[in-house]
Amino acid sequence: MSECQLIVGGGVLGLLSAYALASAGNHVALFDSQSVGAESSWAGGGIVSPLYPWRYSPAVTALAHWSQDFYPWLGEQLLAQTQIDPEVYVTGLYWLDLDDEADALAWARREERPLQCVDVAAVERAVPALAKSFGRVLHMADVANVRNPRLVKALRAALQQMPNVTMHEHCAVSGFIREGGRVTGVHTAQGDMYADQVVLAAGAWSGELMKTLGIELPVVPVKGQMILYKCREDFLPAIVLAKGRYAIPRRDGHVLIGSTLEHAGFDKTPTDEALASLKASAVELLPALADAELVGHWAGLRPGSPEGIPFIGPVPGHDGLWLNCGHYRNGLVLAPASCQLLADLMLRREPIVDPAPYAPAGRLALAG
């Protein structure tokens, strides 16, 4: 017998959770306080890799590797279903002048990933726009980026085609309905809504909602600002990354530069200071951007969490409530694996990876 599941949050984690659960035949209702995909899922860069994968725990690595292998299929599936191309674009990624190059290479050997040192002159031939100021380069050829605004648009369209999915946009959730020790629904702007299970996938806002249950979920907003240039289509053939800043090429010649890391609460106002800093980084990486057309500057809020390890699984003492949140800088990277794992746990299937590192049990506290 199919169950009814209610998802709070319409970012890529909420959308893919709905897609996975509905594909298994369940009835899914998804709620977002605005249009789906309008927050960090839209604002991010879309690199299908952690920026520095060797600096993360094995828990993040496990989800990243599964998702990286899955993304090409997901892009093809969504294009076939919706005629909207998420543009999963395999460009490779160059890391420039790393301080921890030896750690990166050791990680690659251990994880059997195709990361290698490459000759600077060869990189300069492959990426002519790159500044000539770098001395050492690591390269991974199979890294892709996804055009995240198109990904959420495709997911929204796919869900709209499914008769067992309803989407409630511009419908804020203010808290949870509890009956005994069980969560049975949510309070919304359109009234109380009930379900067999509730999934919280509200990104940076997840911690605020958990406080309504007296639970301290360590997920906090971390602001990130980015800028966008319009260049010719062949200007940048690969992702380049130096000093924590990156340039991401889109197929049509747009180049994203990101990103800042700011603790500013829920303020998403773009600032002149960040704009100047991002433009300086852009020109340091790709000098010709000094004369390129700047076409965008925006900010989003990442769901910061301890060590960037997401919370995926049931909430102890609150039967019926599940978490899929706290992915910090890697929401788009980890989303396919995170949502598959969530669905596996909720549907009592064999999980794709060991769920223990992501379990909320032992990682939550009572709100003060």
Side-chain angles (χ1 to χ4, degrees), residues 19 55 59 62 78 83 86 121 124 126 165 203 220 224 230 278 289 312 359:
Y19 190 72
R55 297 178 188 173
L78 290 171
Q83 283 69 61
E124 290 174 351
V165 176
V220 298
K230 184 69 175 84
L278 289 164
L289 290 181
I312 307 168

Side-chain angles (χ1 to χ4, degrees), residues 11-100:
V12 69
L13 272 303
L15 293 167
L16 264 176
S17 295
Y19 190 72
L21 293 167
S23 295
N26 290 322
H27 293 275
V28 178
L30 184 143
F31 292 81
D32 198 280
S33 61
Q34 52 182 314
S35 300
V36 299
E39 289 292 345
S40 61
S41 298
W42 178 90
I47 303 174
V48 185
S49 170
L51 291 185
Y52 300 98
W54 53 90
R55 297 178 188 173
Y56 283 93
S57 72
V60 172
T61 298
L63 295 177
H65 286 179
W66 195 94
S67 291
Q68 285 166 327
D69 293 339
F70 185 78
Y71 251 114
W73 178 89
L74 177 63
E76 291 171 9
Q77 174 84 359
L78 290 171
L79 175 59
Q81 268 185 270
T82 69
Q83 283 69 61
I84 299 168
D85 188 358
E87 292 189 13
V88 179
Y89 182 27
V90 180
T91 62
L93 196 162
Y94 292 98
W95 286 268
L96 309 166
D97 287 353
L98 282 170
D99 292 331
D100 55 352

Side-chain angles (χ1 to χ4, degrees), residues 63-292:
L63 295 177
H65 286 179
W66 195 94
S67 291
Q68 285 166 327
D69 293 339
F70 185 78
Y71 251 114
W73 178 89
L74 177 63
E76 291 171 9
Q77 174 84 359
L78 290 171
L79 175 59
Q81 268 185 270
T82 69
Q83 283 69 61
I84 299 168
D85 188 358
E87 292 189 13
V88 179
Y89 182 27
V90 180
T91 62
L93 196 162
Y94 292 98
W95 286 268
L96 309 166
D97 287 353
L98 282 170
D99 292 331
D100 55 352
E101 189 175 286
D103 293 341
L105 291 168
W107 170 88
R109 285 192 296 272
R110 189 169 64 247
E111 298 292 334
E112 299 182 340
R113 305 308 277 188
L115 180 73
Q116 56 186 352
C117 290
V118 290
D119 179 65
V120 173
V123 178
E124 290 174 351
R125 287 193 298 273
V127 189
L130 188 67
K132 303 298 187 279
S133 55
F134 299 104
R136 300 185 324 280
V137 186
L138 292 186
H139 181 234
M140 197 184 301
D142 63 352
V143 176
N145 73 78
V146 61
R147 197 153 185 173
N148 36 304
R150 297 191 181 185
L151 173 65
V152 294
K153 189 177 179 183
L155 284 168
R156 182 181 188 274
L159 292 174
Q160 284 179 316
Q161 294 175 8
M162 303 176 87
N164 52 333
V165 176
T166 56
M167 281 189 285
H168 303 265
E169 297 180 279
H170 306 283
C171 181
V173 169
S174 57
F176 302 95
I177 301 168
R178 290 196 68 190
E179 296 177 2
R182 186 170 183 82
V183 171
T184 57
V186 295
H187 303 295
T188 84
Q190 296 174 8
D192 290 351
M193 305 287 180
Y194 292 86
D196 296 303
Q197 296 163 309
V198 175
V199 176
L200 179 59
W205 289 265
S206 299
E208 298 300 299
L209 278 167
M210 287 297 282
K211 285 176 184 173
T212 68
L213 293 172
I215 295 173
E216 195 69 48
L217 171 69
V219 173
V220 298
V222 182
K223 183 177 179 179
Q225 299 188 51
M226 299 187 69
I227 58 176
L228 181 70
Y229 290 95
K230 184 69 175 84
C231 305
R232 66 178 192 276
E233 286 186 22
D234 63 347
F235 173 73
L236 182 63
I239 304 164
V240 293
L241 195 161
K243 299 179 184 176
R245 294 279 170 87
Y246 50 78
I248 306 170
R250 301 304 198 208
R251 282 182 179 155
D252 62 5
H254 281 96
V255 174
L256 288 85
I257 305 293
S259 69
T260 66
L261 207 60
E262 307 162 57
H263 291 270
F266 287 93
D267 174 28
K268 291 189 300 175
T269 311
T271 63
D272 291 341
E273 181 183 23
L275 177 61
S277 174
L278 289 164
K279 287 170 76 172
S281 293
V283 174
E284 188 177 357
L285 275 170
L286 304 160
L289 290 181
D291 301 315

